[in-house]
Amino acid sequence: MFFKEAKAEAASVAGTAAPKAVKMYTRLDVAEHDSIEKRVWCSYKENVYDVTDFLDNHPGGRDLLLLAAGKDIEPFWRLYQAHVNSDVAMEMLKTLKIGELDLEKEPKVDVDETDPYKNDPERHPALKCHSAKPANMEPPLSLLRREYLTPSSLWFVRNHSPVPIIDAATHEITIVSGEQSQDNLNLLRTKAVINLEHLKKDFEKKTVVATVQCGGNRRGGLDLIKKSSGTGWGEGAISTAKFAGASLRDVLEVHAGINLHNYERLGIKHVIFYGADDMRASIPIEKALSPFGDVLLAYEMNDCEELPRDHGYPLRVIVPGHVGVRNVKWLSKIKLCSEEADGPWNRGIAYKGFGPGYSSVEGLNIDSVPTMQEMPIQSVVAEAENISLSLATTSKNDDGEKRTVVQTSAKGFAWSGGGRAIIRVDVSANKGLSWQTATLKEGADQPLSKAWAWTFWEIDDLEIDASKLKPGDEIKVLVKAVDASYNAQPEGAAAIWNLRGLNNNSWHAFTVKVEE
């Protein structure tokens, strides 16, 4: 035995030792290791890694790395291209390798040819899936505030049906005007039939950076009061992008002869947008025609040549400052008329706010309740540091009383509908008894009345009374914002609860832990 060991050692020194057998794993094996308790594994290309012991040393923080637990890290690396081109990252991965993927044992995926969703696009694994058919997904807060322009792969997805398959080269958009009923179809007049090439060639390319928020964003917070109706969104049904396309105002003037000087005489009050998914929604004509409204027929997103399929390819409407449902995707028709769109998205209850005392609409005059257009002010804490008692300091106040405090930091975003700029963000760590003003960052330089995109905020010196804190305690960091019209957020969700779970803009809370 001794001879065999000595021979092996000598061979190792000489560099001729037989290589160790490589352990093989399936993707299902990797998927089982999705928590610290189970050890955190991930894969990259054909290799498998155990990154558990690297979590606390990850430059982006452990929470970001945990998003890839049990998954392929390549989609996450595509968000941060520095990883792909970094020798340091690759060398670090080598030290964490525990085996390779057994590609011969990949599970076979049987495609149901009768499934209407079989051609839906692949989505980023970081997105939280509320439903897959149709797709309703949101990004985690830890990724949402990382970049001012949300990467298209991390945009929240709100679909009502399968994603249409559209050939941009042959896709046409019809512009019509007038009313349509079974009794009188002659009132509906076709003004034009246009295509994407025409919009790109004959209209000036305009850009707008806009935040789009689903009307049900933060519905989950209202559901804590009482179950409402709809997807239980967290705080991530909101995203921001730079869109490019043709001005709707210009297109309507050229092809329908409608402008601010004649729309009242012609009796036009609404513009209805129809999507290829049979969805339809309308906006007031004043928003569509305003030179300050910035409504786009968008064909580009975040400087890419085309929109992603989930987000409207090849053409969608962007209505800055208005609720997400008005930003119709896969645009196929535009209609000018005196009535708002029929169907659930305008005339039904889907996007109408009822008082907190109503648990049903029985007996209510639904038609008398306006549908959502512009949205109220909103703010969210996206990140906050845990509290370390070792950093606490003690001082005396003017009365000679000792005061022990510790500081923490927090970051987030704020946004208000209608283009109303964010002018202040307040943060509290003592249940709202006192507040500190955060520093406004990216987005703070937008015009007061044309702030279509969110504003980032942060605070580095949020003070907390540490005199009674002990390790294991939890503190809620609260945030509220004020816009250029001095609209402010309500304190609690109970007062704004509504049966459809819309417009939850109550103070947002983020829980941090107290550590030694």
Side-chain angles (χ1 to χ4, degrees):
M1 188 66 160
F2 174 81
F3 175 78
K4 290 182 179 179
E5 291 175 348
K7 186 176 182 180
E9 181 178 354
S12 176
V13 172
T16 59
K20 294 182 180 179
V22 176
K23 290 187 176 181
M24 305 300 291
Y25 302 98
T26 66
R27 293 190 190 275
L28 292 177
D29 294 330
V30 177
E32 290 178 357
H33 292 266
D34 59 355
S35 67
I36 296 176
E37 292 74 24
K38 300 176 183 177
R39 304 286 299 180
V40 178
W41 291 10
C42 58
S43 63
Y44 181 65
K45 296 185 176 178
E46 73 278 6
N47 299 315
V48 178
Y49 306 92
D50 183 341
V51 299
T52 312
D53 298 330
F54 181 63
L55 288 172
D56 290 330
N57 294 319
H58 184 246
R62 63 158 46 196
D63 290 342
L64 280 185
L65 190 50
L66 282 172
L67 291 174
K71 303 182 180 76
D72 182 356
I73 64 172
E74 188 166 10
F76 297 87
W77 276 21
R78 285 201 300 267
L79 296 173
Y80 305 101
Q81 287 294 316
H83 290 85
V84 180
N85 302 318
S86 171
D87 292 336
V88 175
M90 293 307 302
E91 289 300 318
M92 175 56 68
L93 264 189
K94 289 180 181 179
T95 67
L96 305 174
K97 180 178 175 179
I98 59 172
E100 296 180 1
L101 287 173
D102 190 342
L103 300 179
E104 294 183 359
K105 293 184 178 180
E106 288 286 280
K108 295 182 179 180
V109 179
D110 295 324
V111 178
D112 181 358
E113 294 299 330
T114 66
D115 183 0
Y117 293 90
K118 64 183 175 64
N119 292 313
D120 268 17
E122 183 179 353
R123 280 102 188 187
H124 197 284
L127 295 177
K128 178 182 179 181
C129 180
H130 293 285
S131 68
K133 300 177 182 181
N136 288 287
M137 304 177 180
E138 64 179 300
L141 279 179
S142 56
L143 289 178
L144 189 53
R145 197 200 172 278
R146 290 280 163 163
E147 296 184 48
Y148 188 73
L149 298 182
T150 312
S152 59
S153 60
L154 287 182
W155 255 68
F156 81 96
V157 181
R158 174 66 174 105
N159 294 342
H160 299 90
S161 59
V163 177
I165 299 176
I166 300 175
D167 182 356
T170 59
H171 184 62
E172 295 179 331
I173 303 93
T174 304
I175 302 176
V176 301
S177 68
E179 310 307 319
Q180 181 174 1
S181 67
Q182 289 183 339
D183 298 329
N184 192 347
L185 298 179
N186 294 326
L187 290 176
L188 190 65
R189 298 179 297 277
T190 299
K191 292 291 186 178
V193 178
I194 59 178
N195 58 33
L196 190 61
E197 181 182 3
H198 169 56
L199 290 176
K200 291 181 176 181
K201 179 181 177 182
D202 298 328
F203 289 90
E204 178 186 356
K205 179 180 176 180
K206 296 185 178 180
T207 61
V208 61
V209 177
T211 293
V212 177
Q213 179 179 227
C214 177
N217 194 33
R218 298 184 60 197
R219 181 180 283 126
L222 294 178
D223 287 346
L224 295 176
I225 306 298
K226 183 179 179 180
K227 186 70 177 74
S228 61
S229 172
T231 300
W233 295 104
E235 302 87 359
I238 182 172
S239 302
T240 299
K242 177 183 177 184
F243 293 97
S247 164
L248 173 66
R249 178 173 179 263
D250 293 345
V251 172
L252 292 181
E253 181 155 25
V254 169
H255 289 295
I258 304 295
N259 56 50
L260 285 173
H261 303 293
N262 64 11
Y263 78 92
E264 288 183 308
R265 174 173 55 82
L266 295 171
I268 304 299
K269 297 181 179 179
H270 301 271
V271 181
I272 306 175
F273 307 110
Y274 295 79
D277 61 341
D278 294 328
M279 188 268 183
R280 56 194 179 279
S282 60
I283 62 173
I285 187 65
E286 291 84 359
K287 172 67 175 178
L289 296 182
S290 171
F292 310 108
D294 291 341
V295 182
L296 284 185
L297 302 182
Y299 45 75
E300 288 183 8
M301 180 178 179
N302 287 345
D303 293 321
C304 293
E305 291 186 0
E306 58 187 33
L307 298 168
R309 287 187 62 217
D310 255 335
H311 302 296
Y313 174 86
L315 191 70
R316 73 173 300 170
V317 184
I318 292 298
V319 188
H322 283 228
V323 63
V325 71
R326 310 296 163 216
N327 297 256
V328 173
K329 299 186 284 188
W330 312 296
L331 184 66
S332 62
K333 185 169 74 172
I334 300 171
K335 180 180 177 182
L336 306 164
C337 65
S338 62
E339 300 288 338
E340 65 179 347
D342 59 354
W345 299 285
N346 271 77
R347 300 196 192 187
I349 70 169
Y351 289 91
K352 293 189 176 185
F354 301 91
Y358 295 99
S359 295
S360 77
V361 296
E362 185 177 354
L364 293 178
N365 181 4
I366 296 175
D367 292 339
S368 68
V369 180
T371 191
M372 288 174 60
Q373 294 288 347
E374 295 181 357
M375 297 198 73
I377 186 169
Q378 179 73 275
S379 66
V380 166
V381 183
E383 305 173 35
E385 291 289 331
N386 285 338
I387 299 162
S388 176
L389 292 178
S390 64
L391 300 178
T393 59
T394 301
S395 60
K396 291 184 178 181
N397 60 20
D398 295 339
D399 297 326
E401 298 175 335
K402 287 186 177 181
R403 181 170 178 264
T404 301
V405 299
V406 66
Q407 293 184 344
T408 189
S409 61
K411 298 178 179 180
F413 55 82
W415 177 77
S416 191
R420 293 177 287 274
I422 299 300
I423 63 170
R424 197 178 76 238
V425 171
D426 301 318
V427 188
S428 173
N430 60 2
K431 301 180 180 180
L433 296 177
S434 63
W435 299 84
Q436 290 177 239
T437 299
T439 300
L440 303 184
K441 307 294 284 187
E442 294 96 327
D445 58 350
Q446 298 177 89
L448 289 178
S449 59
K450 285 184 61 175
W452 304 129
W454 56 18
T455 296
F456 280 4
W457 60 266
E458 61 184 55
I459 185 168
D460 296 324
D461 57 353
L462 181 62
E463 287 196 350
I464 300 168
D465 182 357
S467 59
K468 297 181 180 180
L469 293 181
K470 61 183 183 301
D473 286 347
E474 293 183 339
I475 296 290
K476 291 187 181 299
V477 177
L478 304 175
V479 65
K480 60 184 179 71
V482 179
D483 69 20
S485 294
Y486 282 90
N487 295 307
Q489 295 173 246
E491 177 176 351
I496 57 173
W497 183 92
N498 59 93
L499 61 91
R500 281 291 293 122
L502 303 170
N503 285 335
N504 181 11
N505 69 328
S506 58
W507 297 355
H508 181 246
F510 188 101
T511 301
V512 295
K513 295 181 179 179
V514 178
E515 302 171 343
E516 293 183 357

